[in-house]
Amino acid sequence: MTCENLFTGIPPQLSEELVTVLCRAKGLRVERIVSEGQRSPDGFWYDQKRHEWVVVLEGRAAIEFDGEPELVELERGSYLNIPAHTRHRVAWTSPTEKTVWLAILYVGE
Amino acid sequence: MTCENLFTGIPPQLSEELVTVLCRAKGLRVERIVSEGQRSPDGFWYDQKRHEWVVVLEGRAAIEFDGEPELVELERGSYLNIPAHTRHRVAWTSPTEKTVWLAILYVGE
């Protein structure tokens, strides 16, 4: 049995978000997402079929929820659960460092 | 929508491992486990019904797998997938710092 590392294998510069699937099973997907200043396009909203539990492990970011005036700002260790079909977008990620997210997308009550 | 933080709410000293369920759904449980020198008892093996994807987010630890002579040593960012019924034990965790694990226990092919 061997292990890998979440914080390795990240290119020095990212022209777009880097998404790596770390674990996949029926009704479950675990992704590492690395951002470097990327954000959702203006007017774009995620509207996902699956629930998403997400944590920021490095860096800083903010998520906007449709109909909520305040952004949810995330730093190292910040986590939240986004129920399916909760419209949201990435308002910003830190442009000066890598933001490493771990996202668990899941089905289920 | 608000967020919480993985690295807060940890007592300064732990007489035993601290397990906090962060997310629960059908066939899924996400736990934060904080260790401070704790290890599995000699001769004890985990033999879990569920698969476990686990990552160390802070600290250091080692897992022993039944029948494998070498320990799998884990540091910040190290992750591995432990299939159901893979007998294993925590050989050691760092006694001088907190080791924060994130464990995803899941059912499914």
Side-chain angles (χ1 to χ4, degrees), chain A residues 32-106:
Chain A
R32 179 190 69 180
I33 303 162
V34 186
S35 317
E36 191 175 19
Q38 286 85 7
R39 55 197 287 277
S40 302
D42 289 338
F44 171 85
W45 296 100
Y46 287 102
D47 185 349
Q48 297 169 318
K49 288 182 187 168
R50 294 187 177 191
H51 310 297
E52 180 173 358
W53 185 95
V54 67
V55 60
V56 165
L57 299 178
E58 243 179 38
R60 295 180 61 82
I63 299 178
E64 179 180 0
F65 289 92
D66 194 10
E68 292 196 14
E70 304 244 328
L71 301 184
V72 178
E73 296 201 13
L74 308 170
E75 58 184 10
R76 175 175 176 275
S78 299
Y79 67 87
L80 77 171
N81 191 61
I82 305 173
H85 297 299
T86 302
R87 282 158 55 94
H88 64 284
R89 56 190 295 282
V90 177
W92 55 259
T93 60
S94 175
T96 57
E97 61 191 325
K98 301 283 192 304
T99 296
V100 178
W101 314 71
L102 187 74
I104 304 173
L105 294 123
Y106 64 98

Side-chain angles (χ1 to χ4, degrees), chain B residues 39-82:
Chain B
R39 54 198 288 278
S40 303
D42 289 337
F44 171 86
W45 296 101
Y46 287 103
D47 185 350
Q48 297 168 316
K49 288 182 187 169
R50 294 187 176 190
H51 310 298
E52 180 174 357
W53 186 94
V54 66
V55 60
V56 165
L57 298 177
E58 244 179 36
R60 294 179 61 82
I63 299 179
E64 180 180 358
F65 289 91
D66 194 9
E68 291 196 15
E70 305 245 327
L71 302 182
V72 178
E73 296 201 14
L74 308 170
E75 58 184 9
R76 176 175 175 274
S78 298
Y79 68 87
L80 77 172
N81 190 61
I82 304 174

